[in-house]
Amino acid sequence: MLIEKMSNHDLRLAMLPYSSALKVITMHAETIMEELFANRRSNPVEHIKSRLKRPSSIARKLEKKGYRPSVENALKYIDDIAGVRFVCLFPDDIYKIAEVIRNFNNIRICRIKDYIERPKPNGYRSYHMHVEVPIRLLDHEESVKVEIQIRTVAMDSWASMEHKIRYKKGVEIPDTVSYRLLECAHLTHELDKRMQELNEEINKLSPVKQPSEQLDTLEEYFKES
């Protein structure tokens, strides 16, 4: 069935497994964040965003790839219908988060795209993990594709602003603007490097927390608060 001809009911049914997959990954992540907080350990995650790609965006992406904008082709050829973005403060945290995701139960890593080590030509930096999440529905179980993006706050800000500037309807972006956007990407990367260095410098000065400082129960935590 062509995507633009689907009813709202059919769209909801088609998107249901993807919505469930997002909930599974977000639940895993939030549980780990709560555990880190409870154990007074540094939490590398600043915040988490999730989204389902709009049907019109799916159709445009299929047409760009040379496929008819049908539901069948979307399921087969589009890997980022469901997307989760982990945003952290420092570049080193990106790989810590990636390692945590690799240990999520029942999540299969399909491929990795490291745009931090190898940025896109426009300056885009991010760490992408394409995974499959098993989802149990009423009468069957299926594996659902999800794209996970991990990036710093600085990378996320640049990507959002670059997208806003570049993809204005009916506007042809001149090469001079593209070059200046690339310059901004380099400045963002330099900011990340400097903040990482400052964080490491401060960490060396911070006293190591002794095991006796850990709180054994939630009651002790609330008493201290």
Side-chain angles (χ1 to χ4, degrees):
M1 180 185 295
L2 294 180
I3 291 173
E4 58 265 30
K5 293 185 178 180
M6 294 178 69
S7 67
N8 288 335
H9 174 71
D10 290 334
L11 279 172
R12 282 197 297 269
L13 288 178
M15 292 294 106
L16 181 59
Y18 292 97
S19 176
S20 298
L22 291 182
K23 290 175 184 176
V24 168
I25 292 178
T26 303
M27 178 193 68
H28 279 311
E30 289 177 348
T31 299
I32 290 168
M33 290 167 65
E34 289 173 2
E35 183 180 357
L36 289 170
F37 175 77
N39 285 294
R40 296 274 176 104
R41 291 172 59 190
S42 176
N43 178 11
V45 180
E46 173 69 12
H47 60 269
I48 302 171
K49 302 176 184 177
S50 63
R51 64 101 181 99
L52 290 174
K53 190 179 283 292
R54 294 191 300 272
S56 58
S57 298
I58 296 172
R60 282 197 302 271
K61 191 164 187 176
L62 284 170
E63 290 173 341
K64 187 176 180 180
K65 287 174 173 282
Y67 300 111
R68 291 177 71 250
S70 66
V71 177
E72 295 76 17
N73 283 340
L75 298 177
K76 186 174 182 180
Y77 298 113
I78 305 296
D79 293 339
D80 63 343
I81 292 175
V84 180
R85 183 178 302 157
F86 291 79
V87 180
C88 57
L89 291 175
F90 304 106
D92 281 0
D93 290 337
I94 292 171
Y95 297 98
K96 295 175 186 176
I97 296 169
E99 186 59 32
V100 168
I101 292 171
R102 287 189 185 93
N103 293 323
F104 282 175
N105 290 333
N106 300 325
I107 292 179
R108 186 172 77 88
I109 309 297
C110 299
R111 69 180 185 277
I112 304 292
K113 291 182 179 180
D114 191 342
Y115 295 118
I116 298 171
E117 290 294 327
R118 296 174 295 280
K120 289 186 177 182
N122 68 342
Y124 174 86
R125 284 180 168 87
S126 186
Y127 189 88
H128 291 194
M129 306 177 76
H130 292 266
V131 306
E132 286 187 353
V133 182
I135 296 300
R136 182 67 196 176
L137 300 173
L138 283 176
D139 55 356
H140 70 285
E141 183 176 287
E142 62 182 78
S143 291
V144 178
K145 300 174 185 176
V146 179
E147 181 188 66
I148 298 174
Q149 300 176 351
I150 316 172
R151 59 178 69 158
T152 63
V153 172
M155 294 175 194
D156 192 49
S157 296
W158 178 88
S160 297
M161 290 185 286
E162 192 267 355
H163 187 272
K164 182 74 172 178
I165 292 169
R166 185 176 293 278
Y167 295 101
K168 291 186 180 293
K169 291 183 178 179
V171 176
E172 185 71 25
I173 300 298
D175 291 342
T176 53
V177 172
S178 294
Y179 178 77
R180 288 161 67 189
L181 286 170
L182 181 59
E183 281 187 322
C184 290
H186 293 327
L187 290 172
T188 300
H189 181 53
E190 185 62 30
L191 173 64
D192 266 338
K193 285 174 27 180
R194 293 191 182 188
M195 296 304 288
Q196 178 76 56
E197 291 167 0
L198 288 171
N199 186 55
E200 291 172 356
E201 186 176 332
I202 293 299
N203 283 341
K204 290 176 183 177
L205 300 174
S206 300
V208 178
K209 192 177 291 297
Q210 298 299 318
S212 59
E213 294 183 55
Q214 301 292 332
L215 300 179
D216 295 326
T217 65
L218 286 175
E219 287 78 7
E220 288 180 323
Y221 169 75
F222 287 112
K223 283 180 182 177
E224 186 171 288
S225 300

